[in-house]
Amino acid sequence: MTRRLTPARVRGIGVVTALLGVGLLGTAGAGTITVRSGDTLSGLAQKYGVSVAALKAANGRSGSMIYAGETLRVPGATSAKTSHRTTTEVSYVVRSGDTVTSIAKRHGTSIAAIVQRNGLGPAARVKAGQAIAVPGTVRSVPAAKGPSTTVVSPGTVGSSAAKHRIELKNRKHPSKAQVRAIIRDTARKHGVPVSLALAVAYQESGFQQHVVSGVDAIGVMQVLPRTGRNLERVAGRPLDLLDARDNITAGVLLLRQLMRSEGSIDSTLAGYYQGVGSIAAKGILPQTTRYVANINLLRGRFANG
């Protein structure tokens, strides 16, 4: 029987908070931001041109501790009336009937730029379902001082996800059966229930290493790059999330850390999906509850490994 979910506990500024505090900085309504891993109250105050005291007052707090994933109000954050032109890069999934020419025209860039960026070769052919990076897109964006994130620029999550999709497309990956075997071995090695690791991997990617989400969660276990870097401290070695074995190691280690800190399987799963910082700030979201329920059902399917 699945136990009723309660908000996951945050125990100091430990490894789990660091691992799961990986949120996108974006708008969550007028004058609000979502805290990213590494953000500080003083840094955000400087970024948005307000005082630390004003940020504290706007959010009803006396201390300076903030958690990745929580939403903060930013007082006096206003957008300028003028705008500027900026060069961006977007990730695009090719649709049936698309050509490099039509994609370039649609996005206001050149054929040569797309061909060079994606290494398409002389034929410059693309196929439906293929993820490509479209560089050189020019859009008008507000010259805003406040928390507005409207474009995907080089070096941001969107362009990073596109780059990882392309790189994974050019790599050879283990079969689903091989992935399952790797997960079983890795889970046993690190003391994580095999059925739990298998269920999470199936829910996240269907045992497919080439999958990359829109927020750049990579591979079989859908691990974010920043989370992977933090997990290297736990693994005691570098982890290449584009490699299936390292990706699975990262995901299993994250499950192990959550099991140790959160104390129950349900809270572990909630933390894996939503993030400990977000849960502490917002409580369990409806989609998190559904995710946990799905995983618990899948665990029965993988009870025998």
Side-chain angles (χ1 to χ4, degrees):
M1 179 179 295
T2 302
R3 291 192 290 175
R4 183 177 180 274
L5 285 173
T6 57
R9 298 176 300 279
V10 180
R11 293 178 171 84
I13 313 176
V15 166
V16 174
T17 301
L19 297 180
L20 291 165
V22 187
L24 291 177
L25 177 64
T27 56
T32 64
I33 60 169
T34 301
V35 178
R36 294 184 301 184
S37 178
D39 281 342
T40 63
L41 209 59
S42 59
L44 292 173
Q46 182 177 5
K47 181 180 180 70
Y48 294 113
V50 298
S51 68
V52 172
L55 273 179
K56 288 182 180 179
N59 293 279
R61 61 183 65 192
S62 57
S64 298
M65 182 66 70
I66 56 176
Y67 296 99
E70 70 174 303
T71 299
L72 293 179
R73 296 178 182 275
V74 181
T78 57
S79 298
K81 293 181 179 180
T82 58
S83 65
H84 64 276
R85 304 289 279 178
T86 184
T87 301
T88 68
E89 179 177 282
V90 298
S91 174
Y92 179 76
V93 178
V94 178
R95 296 178 294 188
S96 179
D98 278 343
T99 63
V100 173
T101 302
S102 67
I103 295 169
K105 184 177 180 180
R106 183 180 303 127
H107 290 85
T109 189
S110 69
I111 297 171
I114 295 177
V115 169
Q116 182 177 7
R117 176 66 179 82
N118 296 279
L120 297 178
R125 291 177 181 172
V126 291
K127 59 183 180 179
Q130 179 181 354
I132 63 171
V134 182
T137 306
V138 178
R139 294 180 182 176
S140 180
V141 297
K145 183 179 181 181
S148 175
T149 305
T150 57
V151 295
V152 178
S153 303
T156 64
V157 171
S159 61
S160 178
K163 178 183 176 182
H164 288 145
R165 289 190 189 104
I166 293 164
E167 187 168 349
L168 283 167
K169 182 177 180 293
N170 295 322
R171 288 199 185 194
K172 185 177 180 180
H173 306 299
S175 67
K176 291 183 180 180
Q178 290 171 325
V179 164
R180 289 183 65 165
I182 296 169
I183 293 170
R184 285 194 295 267
D185 291 345
T186 306
R188 288 170 181 145
K189 177 181 177 180
H190 295 291
V192 171
V194 172
S195 64
L196 177 65
L198 286 170
V200 169
Y202 183 82
Q203 175 75 19
E204 293 287 348
S205 70
F207 301 138
Q208 300 176 93
Q209 177 60 16
H210 70 271
V211 175
V212 180
S213 78
V215 296
D216 203 21
I218 298 170
V220 173
M221 303 297 283
Q222 290 290 277
V223 181
L224 292 165
R226 186 185 297 272
T227 305
R229 289 192 293 272
N230 284 324
L231 284 162
E232 290 178 349
R233 299 186 312 227
V234 181
R237 64 179 179 84
L239 293 171
D240 176 10
L241 296 182
L242 301 180
D243 175 81
R245 288 185 180 275
D246 277 7
N247 188 288
I248 291 165
T249 294
V252 168
L253 286 176
L254 180 53
L255 286 171
R256 187 183 72 177
Q257 293 299 119
L258 285 165
M259 288 173 62
R260 289 176 176 177
S261 67
E262 303 312 307
S264 75
I265 295 297
D266 284 356
S267 292
T268 292
L269 292 171
Y272 195 99
Y273 179 78
Q274 185 179 334
V276 171
S278 174
I279 293 171
K282 303 175 183 178
I284 302 291
L285 299 176
Q287 56 266 42
T288 303
T289 301
R290 291 192 293 270
Y291 177 88
V292 173
N294 287 342
I295 297 292
N296 281 321
L297 287 173
L298 285 169
R299 288 193 70 191
R301 174 176 176 179
F302 295 114
N304 298 319

